[in-house]
Amino acid sequence: DMVRVIAGDDVSVGALMRPGVDPHLYKASPADVSKLNQAKVIFYNGLLLEGKMEDLFKRLATDGKAVRAVSDTVPQEKRLAPEDSEGHPDPHIWGDARLWASTVDDVVAQLSATFPDHKEDFEGRGEGYKVDLETLHRWAEKRVVEIPEDRRKLVTSHDAFAYFGKAYGLEVVGVQGISTAADPSVADRTRMVDFIKANGITAIFVESSVNKALIEQIATDADVSVGGELFSDAMGEPGDVRTVNGDSYDVGTYIGMLKHNVNAIVEALR
Ligand code: ZN
C-alpha cells in the first residue's frame, strides 16, 4: 500500500498476497515467480516476515534485481526482539505508524533510482504520506487513552502487535510467538486462559489472517467475548469502507487498517 501511494499513477504496482493471507506461511507460486522476474523493483517487509520467500528474494537480488526489504532502514535500537525469539527481531514494524513512516524515504529513494523521470512526484507523495501517517499516529495515541489504564491489555492469536502496543500504550499478549508457523501447545492455551482471568480482561481478538478457532476456544474457556477482528498481517478488502464516529476509511489501505484496529480495540475494551 505504501508503494502504491508513493508510486501513484506513474508506476504499475502489483501485490502477491491477497487480503487475509498469512505472510509467515506464504509460498510463492510459479505465477508469482514470473511476476517477480518481470518487476523492475521489488519491495518486501523483511525481518523474516515472509519466511518462506526469503531465499527467493535473496536469489533475485544476487541475480541483479532491485530488491528492497523496507525494514532494513529501521535502526537496530528500534527493533523489538522478544525473549523467546533467539535474538530474532519482531517483523511487525507497521504496528507503529511513526516507525512505518520512517521507511517512506527509502521507498521514495528506491523508486526514484529505478524510475528517475518521476523522482519529484515520488518525493512529493512521500512527504504527503509522512504527514498523513504522523496524523494517524497522533490520533491513535489519543484514542487509546479512552480505555481506562488498567484495561489497556490486548490478547490476540499471535504476537503481531508488539510495536503497536509499545507505540500506543497497550500491554500485548499473543497465544503464539512472532510467527504463526508453530502450532500453539496446550500449555500456551492454558497460560492464556489464566492470564485473561487473572487480569480481568473482558474481550480478546481474532486476526483476519490467522485461524480464528484458537481464539474462539480460548474465549469460551476464559468466559470472555471476542472483541472483533483485527488486521494484523494483512489489510482488508480494497473498497471495504467502514465508518466510526463519522470518520470513513477503506480497510484495504494501511491507514484504514490501523484505524479499524484502534477503533475495534477501544470500543471493546473501554
Ligand atoms: Zn505475524
Side-chain angles (χ1 to χ4, degrees):
D1 184 51
M2 180 193 290
V3 175
R4 221 173 249 145
V5 169
I6 296 167
D9 292 332
D10 295 327
V11 181
S12 159
V13 180
L16 301 186
M17 298 178 208
R18 293 191 33 74
V21 169
D22 181 347
H24 299 286
L25 307 178
Y26 189 83
K27 292 186 188 122
S29 68
D32 291 341
V33 174
S34 126
K35 278 185 204 162
L36 290 168
N37 278 321
Q38 285 164 28
K40 292 253 182 359
V41 55
I42 297 165
F43 293 96
Y44 69 112
N45 184 80
L47 298 177
L48 289 183
L49 175 78
E50 305 92 339
K52 309 223 185 278
M53 294 179 70
E54 188 77 16
D55 290 345
L56 175 59
F57 291 135
K58 291 226 167 87
R59 199 170 72 230
L60 288 160
T62 309
D63 290 349
K65 183 77 79 181
V67 182
R68 192 75 185 152
V70 294
S71 59
D72 277 356
T73 54
V74 173
Q76 208 65 40
E77 69 272 14
K78 298 239 165 113
R79 296 178 183 185
L80 304 178
E83 278 171 24
D84 56 359
S85 72
E86 291 157 2
H88 196 278
D90 179 341
H92 306 91
I93 54 169
W94 59 91
D96 175 342
R98 195 174 272 164
L99 189 61
W100 192 233
S102 76
T103 69
V104 166
D105 286 347
D106 189 58
V107 173
V108 169
Q110 294 297 317
L111 283 172
S112 299
T114 310
F115 308 100
D117 290 354
H118 301 288
K119 185 171 185 280
E120 280 179 24
D121 296 318
F122 299 147
E123 285 171 350
R125 289 187 208 110
E127 289 308 314
Y129 197 48
K130 283 194 282 184
V131 171
D132 291 345
L133 295 180
E134 179 61 22
T135 304
L136 173 69
H137 186 82
R138 292 194 181 163
W139 169 84
E141 281 178 328
K142 274 200 198 137
R143 184 93 166 100
V144 170
V145 171
E146 292 177 38
I147 308 168
E149 211 172 339
D150 61 343
R151 303 184 81 170
R152 290 179 204 155
K153 296 188 175 79
L154 177 62
V155 177
T156 58
S157 323
H158 85 298
D159 275 330
F161 291 93
Y163 293 93
F164 176 85
K166 184 163 185 260
Y168 306 115
L170 288 149
E171 184 188 342
V172 179
V173 189
V175 185
Q176 288 167 283
I178 55 172
S179 171
T180 56
D183 281 329
S185 65
V186 174
D188 291 335
R189 285 168 49 176
T190 309
R191 180 179 58 90
M192 192 58 58
V193 170
D194 291 346
F195 178 86
I196 292 165
K197 287 181 172 164
N199 286 280
I201 288 165
T202 53
I204 66 176
F205 298 86
V206 294
E207 297 173 34
S208 66
S209 56
V210 182
N211 186 347
K212 296 167 182 57
L214 172 69
I215 281 292
E216 282 162 358
Q217 185 60 50
I218 289 171
T220 304
D221 291 350
D223 196 22
V224 293
S225 63
V226 173
E229 180 182 73
L230 304 182
F231 298 111
S232 53
D233 291 6
M235 298 183 297
E237 288 287 344
D240 179 359
V241 176
R242 315 273 178 99
T243 303
V244 174
N245 299 333
D247 184 22
S248 294
Y249 43 84
D250 184 336
V251 296
T253 68
Y254 168 75
I255 289 177
M257 146 190 190
L258 201 87
K259 281 191 171 180
H260 165 85
N261 287 349
V262 170
N263 282 329
I265 291 164
V266 171
E267 295 300 329
L269 295 185
R270 74 175 175 181

